[in-house]
């Protein structure tokens, strides 16, 4: 699998554990589907043979009574074959469920451990990032300058702009008699 070099060991380990789990589950399900396919093929083959035999018996019958008798004698073996198929199918489903539970149990401890390690790593990285952000904000606040004051003031009020209508000391104000 392609994992970025920037991924932490905890991420890689957790992904490996997850992939192993999914791989084993896929193998189990694939094996079960293969067995089900074989079971269905056996049923189809058996039903085809029984149908062929029943058709031959019906075609060779000389009168309607023999035909009904031939059809009735074939019904029981087909019903028995379907019952056997149902039992095999039920056993296959139960075996698959047991195997999936076994695979899950086999992987749950490792997957849980890697998930916990990953969560701790994410928390640690998150805490570090939060602390860096907090320090950056504190530094920005320290360096913040009031836009209404000038830098390098000469005492309180030094650097403030004069109020409107007041000029420098001794300057004449328009409309005011001196």
């Amino acid at each position: 699998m392609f994992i970025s070099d920037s991924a932490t060991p905890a991420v890689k380990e957790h992904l490996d554990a997850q992939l192993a789990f999914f791989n084993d589950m896929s193998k189990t399900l694939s094996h079960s589907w293969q067995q089900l396919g074989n079971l269905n093929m056996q049923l189809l083959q058996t039903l085809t043979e029984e149908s062929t035999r029943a058709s031959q018996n019906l075609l060779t019958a000389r009168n309607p009574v023999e035909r009904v008798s031939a059809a009735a004698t074939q019904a029981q073996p087909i019903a028995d074959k379907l019952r056997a198929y149902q039992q095999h199918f039920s056993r296959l489903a139960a075996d698959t469920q047991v195997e999936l539970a076994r695979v899950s149990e086999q992987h749950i401890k490792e997957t849980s451990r890697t998930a916990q390690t990953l969560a701790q790593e994410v928390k640690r990285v998150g805490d570090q990032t939060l602390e860096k952000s907090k320090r950056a904000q504190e530094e920005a606040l320290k360096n913040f300058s009031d836009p209404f004051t000038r830098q390098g003031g000469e005492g309180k009020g030094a650097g403030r702009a004069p109020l409107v209508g007041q000029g420098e000391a001794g300057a004449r104000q328009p409309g005011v008699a001196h």
Side-chain angles (χ1 to χ4, degrees):
M1 180 179 152
F2 174 75
I3 298 177
S4 171
D5 290 337
S6 65
T8 65
V11 170
K12 290 178 183 179
E13 187 178 17
H14 185 63
L15 288 176
D16 287 344
Q18 287 288 321
L19 286 174
F21 172 66
F22 289 132
N23 189 30
D24 286 352
M25 290 292 271
S26 295
K27 285 179 184 177
T28 299
L29 289 172
S30 177
H31 182 70
S32 296
W33 279 110
Q34 184 179 13
Q35 288 178 326
L36 180 61
N38 290 339
L39 183 62
N40 287 335
M41 289 298 289
Q42 288 174 346
L43 176 66
L44 181 63
Q45 183 179 3
T46 301
L47 290 178
T48 301
E49 290 170 0
E50 292 294 328
S51 296
T52 302
R53 192 173 305 124
S55 297
Q56 287 175 343
N57 288 341
L58 288 174
L59 291 175
T60 58
R62 294 185 196 123
N63 59 38
V65 173
E66 285 182 9
R67 286 187 188 120
V68 169
S69 175
T73 59
Q74 293 301 318
Q76 186 61 40
I78 290 176
D80 290 341
K81 303 289 184 198
L82 287 174
R83 191 174 307 109
Y85 170 81
Q86 182 184 15
Q87 289 172 346
H88 285 285
F89 182 82
S90 296
R91 189 175 325 120
L92 175 62
D95 290 347
T96 299
Q97 185 175 7
V98 166
E99 184 63 17
L100 288 174
R102 185 195 64 77
V103 168
S104 295
E105 185 178 330
Q106 177 184 355
H107 287 276
I108 195 140
K109 186 175 181 180
E110 178 66 12
T111 304
S112 295
R113 184 192 64 75
T114 60
Q116 185 176 22
T117 302
L118 179 59
Q120 289 170 349
E121 177 72 13
V122 168
K123 182 184 180 310
R124 184 186 61 77
V125 169
D127 289 346
Q128 286 176 348
T129 304
L130 180 64
E131 187 61 34
K132 284 179 186 177
S133 176
K134 183 179 171 184
R135 282 194 304 263
Q137 286 178 354
E138 287 172 352
E139 187 65 30
L141 282 174
K142 285 179 187 176
N143 295 333
F144 178 74
S145 64
D146 188 357
F148 298 107
T149 61
R150 293 188 186 154
Q151 292 289 331
E154 303 158 353
K156 193 168 185 175
R160 286 191 193 161
L163 295 176
V164 177
Q166 295 179 346
E168 302 262 335
R172 294 183 91 37
Q173 296 179 0
V176 176
H178 290 294

